[in-house]
Amino acid sequence: MAELSYLPDRRQAYENLAKRTNLEGVKSVCMALQQAERYGTPLAQTLRVMAQENRDMRMTEAEKKAAGLPPKLTVPMILFFLPVLFVVILGPAGIRVAQMNLLN
């Protein structure tokens, strides 16, 4: 904010901010602000488009992570879930067979 108040050119203030932070998100916002100012496009429209692009990018990243989840869960499922499932399903039958053998 201080640079915006004393620099005659906002573009330079935006460039300085992008250089100082060295973050990709801040660089893209600064670039969008510079372009909106240069070409006279409404700032609200520019920010809406950027927000939608960021949402789409985050959604794509989440979908990629979700797609990689089943292979990672296969081994834990086999090791921990299936044995318990077999005990729950076959346990009562095993108890009946054992009782029948004891009665005979």
Side-chain angles (χ1 to χ4, degrees):
M1 289 303 292
E3 282 188 355
L4 284 173
S5 64
Y6 73 81
L7 283 176
D9 189 18
R10 287 179 177 227
R11 183 186 55 80
Q12 187 62 41
Y14 295 143
E15 286 176 4
N16 291 344
L17 175 64
K19 286 178 189 175
R20 271 195 316 272
T21 58
N22 202 22
L23 296 172
E24 196 58 40
V26 175
K27 285 181 184 179
S28 64
V29 168
C30 289
M31 182 63 69
L33 291 172
Q34 289 173 11
Q35 289 176 354
E37 188 175 335
R38 182 181 311 140
Y39 298 120
T41 58
L43 187 59
Q45 180 184 359
T46 303
L47 294 176
R48 271 191 219 104
V49 169
M50 284 193 65
Q52 185 61 44
E53 287 175 358
N54 285 337
R55 273 190 229 105
D56 293 342
M57 202 165 49
R58 284 194 312 269
M59 183 62 80
T60 303
E61 195 64 36
E63 288 172 353
K64 285 180 187 176
K65 286 183 179 181
L69 204 54
K72 292 178 183 175
L73 287 178
T74 302
V75 173
M77 289 277 290
I78 291 171
L79 291 177
F80 300 114
F81 185 69
L82 287 178
V84 173
L85 185 64
F86 286 135
V87 168
V88 168
I89 291 173
L90 299 177
I95 292 171
R96 285 209 176 189
V97 168
Q99 285 177 349
M100 293 299 279
N101 286 336
L102 290 176
L103 291 176
N104 290 335

